[in-house]
């Protein structure tokens, strides 16, 4: 089976950029061919993946204190008691 | 007394091993193991059979990519309580989300062709030929009857089909993606179905917001991508809305002339009549046609204001009720004023819709009809689930009596 591959370093942005260039080239010859349509579909899939990754990253680092407290719950600034 | 059913329509080449768990009386596992040589991606096909008495209800959510499926999913799981998270310790690129009551699986995992495969054949992911509906049907059917399955993972970053992950039957299974209502067999398994219908103008505006910051993208490339996928979208995705029990339609506002920003929206919740355990929401008086502008002394609205509409109508030859909201809220807590005039919300207490919306004030759509109607549909699904479970619990007792 396909081994689990980690997300390539350097970011998905590079892949999106490349896929757009590919799609533009593929469609230059024949704008309604299956290859052209599939190439733009790939662009959409990658753009969606990039946007999801951005959202996830934003949500993760939105609050520096919360991030810190996840790792250090026993420190003065992080301790919370229910009663 | 548990009743076991074994699901496998594909022939089993070899029974690899057969076990039954020792202590548990309600859950027994039988493993069938099969290697499929004909498939080039050399994916493992493993079916695990569990006999359990727990009942799973299945919800289908159809929408195009980039149309807010994930926001809807987060609102839905929040109604049931608890946060949805990817399976622990598994593939980091898994598309599955699991919470205490709900498991959300992404139907892209049932792609039969990976990214290179689709490119070679010249088909999009929207094309039925790129999807394995046989496997989708088998696995959803298995999960519905309480059987765990090994589901493939489609990796959106690499475009490859990764090694499968084990999915346990949840209380509520949500299948979301492009084709939940495409295949007749899969459709027959759904207890409730939703279609998110985003108009072309709004889709374009949303994709600009989403992609313009991305390198390489320009207005032309966003437009080209939408245009290229449109024929397949119209042929294979859009027709599914006729089967949906609820459709959320998102259109440009009519309150601002020639608006194309896509920030102010006119959202319509189209609810099918006569669906068992689902009674549509109404405004003031059920079955009447009502137009309501709540802005005034009790609700502060700035330009362009808010306008509600409620009417009975027909949609693909089905009788439906349509609730519409155009405009946006300035202050979310004033939503309680609107909520108090809606009936049949299936909320557990007065103000639950507003409270759910306030809980996720940072989600996209929280100040307009998309968030409001997604939350309402979430409550309707909870109600449907509770009625279904209550009914299933009484049904065996009745047959025993007779």
């Amino acid at each position: 089976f396909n081994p689990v591959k980690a997300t390539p370093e350097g970011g998905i942005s590079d892949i999106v950029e490349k896929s757009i260039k590919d799609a533009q080239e593929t469609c230059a010859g024949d704008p309604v061919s299956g290859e052209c349509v599939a190439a733009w579909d790939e662009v959409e899939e990658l753009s969606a993946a990039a946007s999801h990754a951005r959202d996830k990253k934003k949500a993760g680092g939105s609050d520096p204190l919360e991030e810190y407290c996840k790792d250090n719950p026993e420190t003065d600034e992080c301790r919370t008691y229910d009663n | 007394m548990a009743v076991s059913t074994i699901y496998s329509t594909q022939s089993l080449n070899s029974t690899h091993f057969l076990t039954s768990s020792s202590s548990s009386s309600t859950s027994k596992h039988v493993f069938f193991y099969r290697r499929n040589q004909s498939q080039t991606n050399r994916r493992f096909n493993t079916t695990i059979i569990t006999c359990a008495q727990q009942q799973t209800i299945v919800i289908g959510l159809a929408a195009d990519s980039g149309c807010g499926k994930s926001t809807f999913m987060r609102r839905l799981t929040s109604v049931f309580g608890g946060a949805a998270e990817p399976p622990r310790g598994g593939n980091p690129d898994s598309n599955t989300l699991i919470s205490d009551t709900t498991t959300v699986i992404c139907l892209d995992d049932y792609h039969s062709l990976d990214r290179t495969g689709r490119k070679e054949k010249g088909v999009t992911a929207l094309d039925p030929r790129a999807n394995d509906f046989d496997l989708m049907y088998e696995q959803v059917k298995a999960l519905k009857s309480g059987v765990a399955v090994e589901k493939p993972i489609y990796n959106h970053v690499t475009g490859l089909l990764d090694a499968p992950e084990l999915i346990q039957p949840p209380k509520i299974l949500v299948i979301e993606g492009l084709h939940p209502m495409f295949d007749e067999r899969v459709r027959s398994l759904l207890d409730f179905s939703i279609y998110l219908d985003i108009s072309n103008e709004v889709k374009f505006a949303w994709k600009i917001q989403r992609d313009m910051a991305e390198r390489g993208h320009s207005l032309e490339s966003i437009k080209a991508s939408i245009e290229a996928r449109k024929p397949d979208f119209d042929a294979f995705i859009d027709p599914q809305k006729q089967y949906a029990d609820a459709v959320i339609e998102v259109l440009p506002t009519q309150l601002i002339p020639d608006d194309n920003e896509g920030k102010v929206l006119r959202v319509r919740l189209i609810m099918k009549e006569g669906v068992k355990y689902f009674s549509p929401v109404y405004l003031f008086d059920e079955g009447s046609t009502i137009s309501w502008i709540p802005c005034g002394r009790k609700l502060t609205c700035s330009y362009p204001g808010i306008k509600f509409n409620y009417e009975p109508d027909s949609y693909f030859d089905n009788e439906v009720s349509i609730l519409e909201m155009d405009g946006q809220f300035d202050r979310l807590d004033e939503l309680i004023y609107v909520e108090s005039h809606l009936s049949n919300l299936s909320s557990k207490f007065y103000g639950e819709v507003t409270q759910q919306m306030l809980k996720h004030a940072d989600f996209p759509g929280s100040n307009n009809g998309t968030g409001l109607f997604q939350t309402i549909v979430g409550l309707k699904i909870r109600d449907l689930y509770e009625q279904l479970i209550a009914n299933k619990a009484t049904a065996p007792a009745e047959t025993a009596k007779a």
Side-chain angles (χ1 to χ4, degrees), chain B residues 38-98:
Chain B
S38 63
Q39 272 172 306
T40 43
N41 55 36
R42 288 172 295 152
R43 196 203 304 166
F44 276 106
N45 273 318
T46 315
T47 317
I48 293 174
I49 290 109
T50 312
C51 309
Q53 283 162 323
Q54 185 211 352
Q55 262 294 334
T56 296
I57 78 154
V58 188
I59 315 276
L61 171 66
D64 196 7
S65 102
C67 289
K69 278 192 298 269
S70 20
T71 307
F72 190 6
M73 273 357 299
R74 287 195 288 170
R75 286 191 201 278
L76 179 63
T77 38
S78 160
V79 168
F80 287 98
E85 281 173 0
R88 241 165 251 171
N91 187 330
D93 291 321
S94 162
N95 305 308
T96 307
L97 287 172
I98 297 173

Side-chain angles (χ1 to χ4, degrees), chain B residues 237-304:
Chain B
I237 311 304
D238 202 52
Q240 292 181 94
K241 63 188 181 196
Q242 61 188 296
Y243 306 114
D245 298 315
V247 176
I248 298 180
E249 232 174 54
V250 185
L251 303 153
T253 181
Q254 288 180 335
L255 300 172
I256 307 170
D258 304 314
D259 175 77
N260 49 13
E261 269 186 276
K263 280 192 183 125
V264 183
L265 301 170
R266 181 163 72 103
V267 188
R268 285 151 59 89
L269 173 60
I270 303 166
M271 299 162 282
K272 215 182 243 180
E273 291 284 343
V275 177
K276 211 179 177 191
Y277 306 124
F278 173 62
S279 52
V281 176
Y282 64 89
L283 181 65
F284 297 120
D285 182 43
E286 196 170 8
S288 298
T289 298
I290 292 161
S291 179
W292 180 45
I293 297 173
C295 306
R297 284 187 198 123
K298 287 178 186 156
L299 189 70
T300 345
C301 304
S302 63
Y303 182 80

Side-chain angles (χ1 to χ4, degrees), chain B residues 218-352:
Chain B
S218 59
L219 270 180
E220 286 72 44
S221 67
I222 295 167
K223 208 176 205 160
S225 175
I226 291 178
E227 292 286 313
R229 295 170 79 252
K230 202 170 179 302
D232 278 1
F233 180 82
D234 290 343
F236 308 121
I237 311 304
D238 202 52
Q240 292 181 94
K241 63 188 181 196
Q242 61 188 296
Y243 306 114
D245 298 315
V247 176
I248 298 180
E249 232 174 54
V250 185
L251 303 153
T253 181
Q254 288 180 335
L255 300 172
I256 307 170
D258 304 314
D259 175 77
N260 49 13
E261 269 186 276
K263 280 192 183 125
V264 183
L265 301 170
R266 181 163 72 103
V267 188
R268 285 151 59 89
L269 173 60
I270 303 166
M271 299 162 282
K272 215 182 243 180
E273 291 284 343
V275 177
K276 211 179 177 191
Y277 306 124
F278 173 62
S279 52
V281 176
Y282 64 89
L283 181 65
F284 297 120
D285 182 43
E286 196 170 8
S288 298
T289 298
I290 292 161
S291 179
W292 180 45
I293 297 173
C295 306
R297 284 187 198 123
K298 287 178 186 156
L299 189 70
T300 345
C301 304
S302 63
Y303 182 80
I306 301 175
K307 190 179 172 190
F308 274 86
N309 215 77
Y310 167 72
E311 59 184 355
D313 204 344
S314 77
Y315 186 77
F316 290 98
D317 296 329
N318 288 309
E319 207 187 313
V320 293
S321 288
I322 303 179
L323 181 64
E324 178 183 311
M325 178 185 155
D326 196 349
Q328 58 189 34
F329 306 108
D330 292 326
R331 296 182 47 170
L332 200 48
D333 46 353
E334 289 178 347
L335 177 61
I336 189 77
Y337 180 68
V338 171
E339 182 182 349
S340 65
H341 291 91
L342 292 167
S343 303
N344 252 350
L345 287 168
S346 299
S347 52
K348 300 238 174 186
F349 52 87
Y350 174 70
E352 192 178 12

Side-chain angles (χ1 to χ4, degrees), chain B residues 8-26:
Chain B
S8 180
T9 52
Q10 293 167 309
S11 67
L12 295 158
N13 294 342
S14 63
T15 304
H16 193 65
F17 60 97
L18 184 65
T19 59
S20 70
S21 61
S22 52
S23 58
S24 160
S25 61
T26 53

